[in-house]
Amino acid sequence: METKYYIVNRIDGDYAYLLLEDGSVTEEKCVARALLPAEIAEGLRLAYECFQYSIVD
């Protein structure tokens, strides 16, 4: 499975809106915060692999 990288564009209540890092898709992806690491913040880079999100340095 391919790893995809996202940037946390904004956080709104129980949801985070992610943008694909490579810019191939300009629409935000809405993800429930319960599925993301607890430490997320706007501007962080996330990796999505094997149905899990993790923070990337």
Side-chain angles (χ1 to χ4, degrees), residues 1 5-6 8-9 12 15-18 20-21 25 30-31 34 37-38 43-46 49 51 53 55-56:
M1 182 174 268
Y5 295 94
Y6 292 92
V8 179
N9 190 43
D12 186 10
Y15 296 94
Y17 295 86
L18 311 179
L20 204 54
E21 185 179 60
V25 178
C30 180
V31 178
L44 280 181
R45 184 175 182 230
L46 300 175
E49 185 175 38
F51 305 104
Y53 292 92
I55 296 174
V56 179

Side-chain angles (χ1 to χ4, degrees), residues 7-19 28-34 36-44 46 55:
I7 303 296
V8 179
N9 190 43
R10 62 187 173 102
I11 296 172
D12 186 10
D14 290 335
Y15 296 94
Y17 295 86
L18 311 179
L19 290 173
E28 293 177 318
K29 179 178 181 177
C30 180
V31 178
R33 289 182 64 186
L36 301 171
E39 305 83 15
I40 66 160
E42 291 180 1
L44 280 181
L46 300 175
I55 296 174

